[in-house]
Amino acid sequence: MKTLALLLASLSPLAVAEEKNRSEASPPNIVFIFSDDHALNAISSYGGPLSKIAPTPHIDQLAKEGALFQNSFCANSICGPSRASILTGKHSHKNGFLRNTKRPFDGNQWTFIKELQKANYQTAIIGKWHLKSKPTGFDHWEILPGQGNYYNPDFIQMNGKRKRFKGYVTDITTNKAIDWLNSRDKTKPFILMCQHKAPHRTFSPALRHLDAFNGIKIPEPATLFDDYSTRSKTLKENEMEIDRHLTWGYDLKLRKGERQGVVLPEFRDYGTPEYNRMNPQQKAAWDAHFKPLNKKFITAYKSGTMSHQDVVRWKYQRYLKNYLGTVKAVDDSVGKLTKYLKDNGLSENTIVIYSSDQGFYLGEHGWFDKRWMFEESFKMPFVIKWPGQIKPNSRPEAMIQNIDYAPTFLEMAGLSAPPEVQGKSIVNILKGKEQSVRKALYYAYYEHGEHSVPQHFGVRTKTHKLIHFPFTKEWNLFDLQADPQEINNIYGQKEHAAIQEHLHAEYQRLRSEFDAPPYEKFKTKRKK
Ligand code: SGN
Ligand code: CA
């Protein structure tokens, strides 16, 4: 407001009126800041058990100035599929990107970004893309190959060539986004998708943030030692436990030479590839932080005084400190981008969104990773600031999903989505004119490989969740109000027969509304 006022003060009265009319009439710009695997519990304003520790002042500031959605979900809790649902406004079985596999996203299909481009928007994407094919519908793109790297990352340029950049991936992605903002055609509206790798595995923080959580004890979730009884037997087959599957080097940053001859039981040994990418100066900063801490742990481990649970607890602390460390730079990015908008008089007519491709387990059920339809990974953060349209400090309760982004972004730009789009615009919710756009959500997960999570499907209402595991013929039902941690499967219990029937009906209704195929169509063999 201040910047606009200053700008207007420097212009003649006629120019002032013209400038005001132009900005009021011109479609809003959109800055979409998107990260990878950012759990709601790692965003302070979501108020979870880590809210005093989660380092997100700039994301929280956005939430203060706009809306923090309390019930925002993905359609399929895995990277590429979530991104494909965002671009197309459709469930995975309709956009064809069901899993993170070698098969590329079909960039010839309709996407909201192409629609914005046709409507004179300048379009850009920088950072993690992860859909295999080249981005289409973007005037400018510069993307990470696959998952990308944290230190000295390579980026694929529009000419198809890879180029390496010195530094930390989150900072480099942000700086590239700002360079593009500076170089854009300033007469046109724009959409910028700034998509970070962090806080994805290998959970490696910026070197300047390594010490951020020194001496802090991160609170443990109640289900850190979940034994998975009372739910589908497939839960026990998971390969995403902090206990058994986090790796000592790759995830926990204990390099081979630091183990002093101690053999640490290990599920898989991936080495420490991120360390190997660093230059001597970067390695020295890393070593200065990790070496003494690793020595302390190995000494305690060797002494035989640590119980198995103590070791799991140590792993949890190490995992969370690294994960939250990566969040710090993502939050810095939100701060830098919003400051840029302010400094350049763009704040008033730019919508800023912060979201992430899915949630993540921060020790709940003993896990890291995502995939399951349980709340921690089914939920996506969704924070949105739209000056003059969204009431500051809003906390909408409406259930929204990533298939809603495409029609919403189009309506914000004064456009509409074609009828085959399955998501719904939430613009009326943003404007406070409507309370909800649906009464139940449909979920489908199709991989059965890394981390060993079986295909499953389900429905979630405001109060309950029904999950189906078709290939073991199991159903799980949860009362989300009585059992928010989703520990007690109440399926088949007489006293819940009515709600069970209701959830079944909702599930079938949504499968038919979305034209979901029979389970057999996308059945896969378990991949090792
Ligand atoms: C990689 C990770 C997995 C992660 C998937 C999917 N392993 O394969 O831990 O679940 O990505 O993540 S790693 O050894 O390569 O780090 S996603 O965000 O791309 O869906
Ligand atoms: Ca992800």
Side-chain angles (χ1 to χ4, degrees), residues 35-38 77-80 82-83 100 128 130 147 197 200 356-360 370:
S35 60
D36 196 350
D37 294 359
H38 196 172
S77 182
I78 190 79
C79 186
S82 176
R83 289 153 203 261
N100 284 341
K128 188 169 172 186
H130 209 212
Q147 298 285 4
K197 170 182 172 59
H200 190 273
S356 187
D357 59 353
Q358 4 69 207
F360 211 67
K370 51 262 179 175

Side-chain angles (χ1 to χ4, degrees), residues 212-266:
F213 297 95
N214 282 0
I216 291 175
K217 186 169 184 289
I218 316 278
E220 288 170 8
T223 56
L224 183 58
F225 296 98
D226 194 347
D227 67 3
Y228 315 119
S229 55
T230 75
R231 280 143 293 163
S232 163
K233 60 187 179 208
T234 59
L235 265 72
K236 281 201 174 108
E237 290 164 20
N238 84 82
E239 292 176 354
M240 48 191 271
E241 282 168 29
I242 290 173
D243 179 358
R244 293 184 298 145
H245 308 109
L246 267 184
T247 58
W248 287 105
Y250 193 70
D251 297 306
L252 297 167
K253 323 300 183 203
L254 232 124
R255 301 187 52 247
K256 282 267 159 67
E258 295 171 330
R259 301 186 196 180
Q260 300 173 39
V262 174
V263 179
L264 298 164
E266 177 123 80

Side-chain angles (χ1 to χ4, degrees), residues 130-397:
H130 209 212
L131 288 170
K132 303 267 179 348
S133 49
K134 276 189 185 171
T136 51
F138 292 95
D139 301 325
H140 176 79
W141 55 263
E142 196 171 353
I143 54 172
L144 295 167
Q147 298 285 4
N149 281 99
Y150 275 106
Y151 306 117
N152 307 329
D154 293 345
F155 279 78
I156 306 174
Q157 319 285 298
M158 286 184 85
N159 63 11
K161 294 209 172 109
R162 278 188 187 213
K163 212 169 149 188
R164 186 158 300 189
F165 294 84
K166 186 175 165 254
Y168 186 64
V169 68
T170 310
D171 303 338
I172 297 168
T173 304
T174 310
N175 293 340
K176 285 184 184 300
I178 288 177
D179 288 347
W180 181 78
L181 285 171
N182 276 323
S183 69
R184 75 189 205 283
D185 174 353
K186 301 199 168 76
T187 63
K188 290 182 176 182
F190 67 85
I191 174 162
L192 164 68
M193 301 177 83
C194 176
Q195 306 203 154
H196 293 296
K197 170 182 172 59
H200 190 273
R201 203 176 185 187
T202 57
F203 324 118
S204 301
L207 300 174
R208 68 180 180 284
H209 292 145
L210 284 175
D211 289 327
F213 297 95
N214 282 0
I216 291 175
K217 186 169 184 289
I218 316 278
E220 288 170 8
T223 56
L224 183 58
F225 296 98
D226 194 347
D227 67 3
Y228 315 119
S229 55
T230 75
R231 280 143 293 163
S232 163
K233 60 187 179 208
T234 59
L235 265 72
K236 281 201 174 108
E237 290 164 20
N238 84 82
E239 292 176 354
M240 48 191 271
E241 282 168 29
I242 290 173
D243 179 358
R244 293 184 298 145
H245 308 109
L246 267 184
T247 58
W248 287 105
Y250 193 70
D251 297 306
L252 297 167
K253 323 300 183 203
L254 232 124
R255 301 187 52 247
K256 282 267 159 67
E258 295 171 330
R259 301 186 196 180
Q260 300 173 39
V262 174
V263 179
L264 298 164
E266 177 123 80
F267 171 65
R268 247 168 227 164
D269 179 3
Y270 295 121
T272 43
E274 283 294 349
Y275 185 85
N276 301 340
R277 296 181 69 84
M278 289 195 259
N279 67 27
Q281 217 183 352
Q282 294 168 323
K283 284 180 178 168
W286 169 285
D287 287 336
H289 172 73
F290 284 115
K291 266 196 172 164
L293 295 172
N294 291 347
K295 195 170 173 199
K296 202 171 150 201
F297 167 71
I298 287 290
T299 308
Y301 188 89
K302 251 180 157 173
S303 73
T305 53
M306 285 181 94
S307 68
H308 185 76
Q309 289 209 341
D310 290 340
V311 176
V312 174
R313 295 199 148 105
W314 182 88
K315 287 183 179 181
Y316 169 77
Q317 292 295 322
R318 174 59 63 93
Y319 159 44
L320 260 286
K321 287 180 185 185
N322 288 336
Y323 179 97
L324 293 173
T326 71
V327 170
K328 266 183 96 62
V330 173
D331 189 76
D332 286 351
S333 169
V334 175
K336 270 193 219 167
L337 286 163
T338 46
K339 180 172 186 309
Y340 178 93
L341 297 176
K342 225 180 251 166
D343 293 348
N344 289 276
L346 292 164
S347 279
E348 294 301 308
N349 199 32
T350 301
I351 297 166
V352 182
I353 294 140
Y354 180 77
S355 172
S356 187
D357 59 353
Q358 4 69 207
F360 211 67
Y361 295 96
L362 301 178
E364 300 89 356
H365 307 295
W367 290 335
F368 64 101
D369 216 69
K370 51 262 179 175
R371 300 162 191 272
W372 300 95
M373 198 195 167
F374 299 114
E375 296 289 271
E376 292 83 359
S377 56
F378 186 18
K379 280 195 167 174
M380 289 167 79
F382 192 79
V383 193
I384 177 164
K385 177 192 168 197
W386 188 3
Q389 301 290 345
I390 298 176
K391 207 168 123 219
N393 245 319
S394 309
R395 299 292 179 266
E397 290 287 337

